């Protein structure tokens, strides 16, 4: 644990209507890991804040719910966000999709708020935890791609992804792939996990892992 990690803020957003469901279990495991690392972690359920979808803003105002509080007071100040969602029809839950869609009301238009909002939307660390009834690995790929593209759009780092299988409440704990342990590890390493995403012009080292580089440098007969 270090002081820089202790000062980081992780927001865990659960997009399932079940408070004791598998998505919530993954989010809680990540929160435990973050707490163990000294990260300030907050777990919230989207159902408590979102009661409507994005309307045609030319004809109607935003729904009278707590989305503005969620987005402006919790998401924007966070250094990282972990999205936890069940897989519904091979996509994220409606609550989770609405979280992304509704942000449009705060960064579109004119005035001081859009500039401030867009500046604080960028540069975060993002993670994803999904729960599905199927073990089929491709079931979550659409969601992974969507979060990946959101990360690229906002110049953020998509640092980790966990997929757990379970249908009944809490059944994800029986998944032999141990997704709860993986989620806890993701929470613990959220701000320290090595991240790389190269472009053709990206300066890069000859090695991926710093510890490996140090070991190679000290190995006889290996050039630095």
């Amino acid at each position: 644990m270090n002081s820089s990690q202790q000062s980081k803020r992780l927001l865990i957003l659960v997009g399932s209507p079940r408070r004791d469901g598998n998505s919530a279990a993954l989010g809680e495991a990540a929160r435990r890991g973050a707490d163990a690392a000294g990260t300030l972690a907050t777990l919230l359920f989207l159902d408590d804040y979102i009661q409507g979808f994005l309307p045609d803003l030319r004809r109607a105002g935003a729904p009278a719910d707590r989305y503005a509080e969620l987005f402006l007071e919790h998401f924007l100040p966070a250094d990282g966000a972990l999205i936890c969602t069940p897989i519904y029809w091979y996509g994220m839950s409606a609550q989770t999709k609405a979280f992304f869609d509704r942000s449009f009301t705060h960064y579109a238009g004119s005035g001081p708020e859009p500039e401030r909002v867009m500046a604080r939307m960028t540069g975060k660390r993002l993670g994803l935890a999904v729960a599905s009834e199927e073990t089929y690995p491709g079931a979550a790929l659409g969601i992974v791609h969507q979060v990946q593209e959101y990360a690229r759009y906002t110049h953020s780092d998509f640092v980790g992804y966990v997929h757990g299988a379970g249908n009944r409440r809490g059944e994800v704990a029986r998944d032999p792939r141990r997704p709860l342990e993986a989620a806890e590890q993701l929470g613990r390493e959220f701000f320290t996990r090595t991240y790389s995403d190269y472009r053709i012009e990206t300066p890069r080292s000859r090695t991926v892992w710093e510890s490996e580089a140090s070991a190679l440098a000290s190995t006889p007969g290996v050039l630095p």
Side-chain angles (χ1 to χ4, degrees), residues 47 56 83 98 153 177 186:
D47 266 354
D56 182 349
I83 307 299
Y153 186 78
R177 298 171 297 179
L186 177 59

Side-chain angles (χ1 to χ4, degrees), residues 96-172:
T96 309
K97 184 62 166 60
F99 169 78
F100 290 105
D101 291 348
R102 291 274 300 274
S103 66
F104 180 78
T105 62
H106 295 285
Y107 68 77
S110 59
E113 186 183 52
E115 292 183 4
R116 179 181 69 88
V117 167
M118 285 190 288
R120 300 188 76 181
M121 285 176 68
T122 62
K124 297 184 185 298
R125 285 202 151 204
L126 301 174
L128 175 66
V130 297
S132 68
E133 181 180 357
E134 298 169 286
T135 61
Y136 166 51
L141 292 184
I143 307 174
V144 173
H145 180 70
Q146 190 167 5
V147 174
Q148 173 184 303
E149 291 307 307
Y150 177 85
R152 291 225 173 182
Y153 186 78
T154 58
H155 299 286
S156 299
D157 297 340
F158 183 26
V159 299
Y161 154 61
V162 176
H163 180 188
N167 190 11
R168 302 179 70 174
R169 287 169 171 82
E171 192 181 12
V172 70

Side-chain angles (χ1 to χ4, degrees), residues 5-200:
Q5 187 166 350
Q6 286 179 289
S7 65
K8 297 293 186 181
R9 291 167 292 183
L10 173 62
L11 178 63
I12 301 171
L13 296 175
V14 179
S16 171
R18 291 179 170 181
R19 300 306 173 107
D20 56 352
N22 293 307
S23 299
L26 291 168
E28 178 59 28
R31 188 196 63 76
R32 289 195 302 270
D35 285 348
T39 300
L40 178 60
T42 302
L43 187 151
L44 301 176
F45 287 86
L46 294 179
D47 266 354
D48 289 337
Y49 296 87
I50 299 176
Q51 299 300 318
F53 301 126
L54 178 68
D56 182 349
L57 296 174
R58 295 168 295 182
R59 294 181 170 86
D65 55 18
R66 299 172 63 196
Y67 179 80
E69 175 190 343
L70 173 67
F71 186 73
L72 298 174
E73 299 180 21
H74 293 285
F75 179 72
L76 290 187
D79 301 292
L82 174 64
I83 307 299
C84 304
T85 179
I87 299 178
Y88 291 158
W89 285 105
Y90 305 100
M92 59 180 60
S93 69
Q95 293 93 328
T96 309
K97 184 62 166 60
F99 169 78
F100 290 105
D101 291 348
R102 291 274 300 274
S103 66
F104 180 78
T105 62
H106 295 285
Y107 68 77
S110 59
E113 186 183 52
E115 292 183 4
R116 179 181 69 88
V117 167
M118 285 190 288
R120 300 188 76 181
M121 285 176 68
T122 62
K124 297 184 185 298
R125 285 202 151 204
L126 301 174
L128 175 66
V130 297
S132 68
E133 181 180 357
E134 298 169 286
T135 61
Y136 166 51
L141 292 184
I143 307 174
V144 173
H145 180 70
Q146 190 167 5
V147 174
Q148 173 184 303
E149 291 307 307
Y150 177 85
R152 291 225 173 182
Y153 186 78
T154 58
H155 299 286
S156 299
D157 297 340
F158 183 26
V159 299
Y161 154 61
V162 176
H163 180 188
N167 190 11
R168 302 179 70 174
R169 287 169 171 82
E171 192 181 12
V172 70
R174 298 175 58 190
D175 187 333
R177 298 171 297 179
R178 300 180 178 177
L180 294 182
E181 292 181 22
E184 186 170 343
Q185 182 177 5
L186 177 59
R188 187 168 56 250
E189 300 174 352
F190 207 86
F191 295 107
T192 59
R193 181 172 290 189
T194 298
Y195 175 81
S196 56
D197 183 8
Y198 294 143
R199 276 72 163 176
I200 194 170

